[in-house]
Amino acid sequence: MSTTNNELRVGMVGYAFMGAAHSQAWRTVNRVYDLPARARMVLVCGRDSGKVADAADRLGWEGHTTDWRELVNRPDIDVVDICTPGDSHAEIALAALAAGKHVLCEKPLANTVAEAREMAAAAATAQAGGARSMCGFNYRRVPAVALMRQLIADGRLGEIRHVRATYLQDWIVDPQFPLVWRLRKEVSGSGALGDIGAHIIDLTQYVTGQRISGVSAVTETFVKERPLPAESSGLAAQADGAGAATGQVTVDDAAIFVARLDGGALATYEATRFATGRKNALRVEINGSLGSVAFDLERLNELEFLDATRPSAEQGFNRILVTEAEHPYLSAWWPPGHIIGYEHSFTHQMRDFIEAVATGVDPSPSFAEALQVQLVLDAVTRSADLGSSWTEVEPSLASVAA
């Protein structure tokens, strides 16, 4: 599919937390970067007509609808941006790809491996007709993370030996926090594992260039029953009040696993929404034979780097302030030392997506890459179900080719 008058006309399904983040990025990207096509925010979709109308006005969309099928089939939509819970990703993406639309889908790609395989296969087929697809792992687009990947690719760390990744939150520590959709397996697919664990799985594989080949895992649900919410909502939901009916939590609250990467590195991962006092604490450290590098999302503009090739008397972790124009993505932003934030990762994501689509290049992470993350999530779940037994990650390439 080619752009129309150098425009990419976007339709977005979903308008809550991720929908707001994506909208901010679509509004901003062409005002910051000089790109071969301009994003036009044509249509936003949601189930409640009043709320989606308000969202369209607030977030900057030209129109709104309550029918995602209408959005997918409209001839004035080039890109379908999927920001819904995981139970609808496959159905919407498959319909959009069949209609010849470009697709951007939030992570994790799907709720099951079977859905993810079908989506990856459909994306490969649609690619022949010019339709491009990408999964939204936005943390790849943090400049410090991109610099981390660059240092590793340039050999500055030597042989990668250890990967250490944690993603810690605490928003459901209170047992009276309601049973929102993220705590229901039929809607979300999994709990902390898929919601935030998927991020550190993708991020570590991205920066190291290695894939997780096997895992040994344990998961836990600490609060097994919660009050029903006053309405279906997200991170700031409210329960119905005293005496509210309750429902069963059907996902994990925490997941911990050890892994081996296909390049020989050993890895540890922890994803939990019960780390009291931790709001959005993602941290990744990579240790190699020639050095180490570490990233902390709560210090988003910084990278810790140790160069072990220097004399021992001069060694130590150095703080790199990642705000220079020559750092990834930053040439279009502010003077050195003027920091950026969480929302910029989505603007960078849209920049890469628009550039790829407009120039006929396959964007990354592709649905095939996202399927591989889904296969790791599946291996973690199977290992935990089998008493932490060592579990190999299933291969994905053959299924995509098929």
Side-chain angles (χ1 to χ4, degrees):
M1 175 185 293
S2 60
T3 61
T4 302
N5 297 323
N6 290 325
E7 277 189 338
L8 276 176
R9 299 164 299 181
V10 182
M12 186 177 73
V13 188
Y15 57 82
F17 173 28
M18 276 299 104
H22 282 222
S23 296
Q24 194 275 344
W26 289 121
R27 287 196 311 269
T28 304
V29 63
N30 288 111
R31 292 174 171 85
V32 178
Y33 292 102
D34 183 15
L35 296 171
R38 175 167 291 275
R40 178 180 165 191
M41 298 168 65
V42 174
L43 194 66
V44 62
C45 177
R47 289 172 294 185
D48 185 295
S49 58
K51 290 181 178 179
V52 75
D54 290 342
D57 182 63
R58 174 170 45 87
L59 299 175
W61 295 89
E62 295 176 13
H64 55 87
T65 181
T66 58
D67 184 357
W68 66 261
R69 292 173 181 83
E70 175 199 348
L71 181 150
V72 163
N73 290 308
R74 274 180 50 160
D76 61 341
I77 297 295
D78 304 309
V79 176
V80 176
D81 183 3
I82 303 170
C83 296
T84 60
D87 62 335
S88 58
H89 284 188
E91 185 179 17
I92 299 171
L94 291 171
L97 290 167
K101 312 295 186 180
H102 307 294
V103 177
L104 174 61
C105 183
E106 259 302 320
K107 50 62 42 196
L109 186 63
N111 276 5
T112 68
V113 167
E115 288 179 341
R117 287 188 190 279
E118 187 177 7
M119 292 168 74
T125 299
Q127 178 186 347
R132 309 291 169 176
S133 52
M134 187 173 88
C135 190
F137 283 101
N138 64 294
Y139 291 135
R140 288 187 175 204
R141 269 73 188 194
V142 173
V145 169
L147 179 60
M148 173 188 277
R149 172 182 164 90
Q150 185 177 311
L151 289 170
I152 294 171
D154 289 345
R156 299 292 299 277
L157 267 62
E159 178 188 351
I160 302 303
R161 291 170 173 163
H162 286 290
V163 172
R164 203 167 294 107
T166 59
Y167 202 159
L168 314 178
Q169 297 178 343
D170 74 349
W171 58 276
I172 54 173
V173 165
D174 183 355
Q176 294 306 304
F177 188 88
L179 187 69
V180 296
W181 68 264
R182 292 177 188 271
L183 305 180
R184 296 165 49 210
K185 183 179 178 65
E186 69 273 17
V187 182
S188 63
S190 66
L193 175 61
D195 185 20
I196 55 180
H199 270 303
I200 52 177
I201 290 167
D202 178 73
L203 192 154
T204 52
Q205 294 187 136
Y206 172 68
V207 298
T208 63
Q210 298 187 26
R211 296 290 174 262
I212 296 172
S213 58
V215 301
S216 173
V218 61
T219 61
E220 182 59 69
T221 302
F222 297 109
V223 176
K224 295 177 173 56
E225 196 169 278
R226 291 182 177 273
L228 299 179
E231 59 178 300
S232 179
S233 187
L235 307 187
Q238 299 293 323
D240 265 332
T246 62
Q248 186 179 6
V249 176
T250 51
V251 300
D252 58 278
D253 287 332
I256 298 175
F257 63 98
V258 296
R260 184 176 292 278
L261 278 65
D262 59 10
L266 301 179
T268 62
Y269 294 83
E270 179 182 5
T272 180
R273 300 188 291 211
F274 268 75
T276 306
R278 299 296 185 184
K279 303 305 176 184
N280 200 39
L282 183 159
R283 181 176 172 85
V284 170
E285 180 171 322
I286 314 293
N287 306 131
S289 59
L290 301 179
S292 293
V293 65
F295 169 74
D296 187 333
L297 182 62
E298 293 181 348
R299 294 161 53 198
L300 180 147
N301 293 271
E302 301 177 22
L303 198 62
E304 301 172 58
F305 175 55
L306 179 140
D307 183 353
T309 67
R310 297 185 62 81
S312 58
E314 300 175 8
Q315 285 185 26
F317 277 94
N318 294 309
R319 169 182 172 267
I320 302 174
L321 185 62
V322 188
T323 60
E324 298 291 330
E326 59 265 34
H327 286 142
Y329 297 107
L330 290 171
S331 60
W333 291 107
W334 317 120
H338 292 71
I339 60 177
I340 62 170
Y342 169 78
E343 71 277 12
H344 293 77
S345 65
F346 293 96
T347 303
H348 301 157
Q349 176 174 273
M350 302 323 182
R351 187 206 80 160
D352 289 350
F353 184 75
I354 291 172
E355 197 164 62
V357 167
T359 58
V361 173
D362 293 326
S364 180
S366 66
F367 278 16
E369 291 173 272
L371 165 60
Q372 194 276 332
V373 173
Q374 199 84 40
L375 289 164
V376 176
L377 297 175
D378 178 68
V380 170
T381 301
R382 288 187 289 118
S383 173
D385 288 345
L386 294 170
S388 307
S389 64
W390 186 258
T391 303
E392 300 292 333
V393 176
E394 293 182 12
S396 61
L397 294 179
S399 62
V400 174

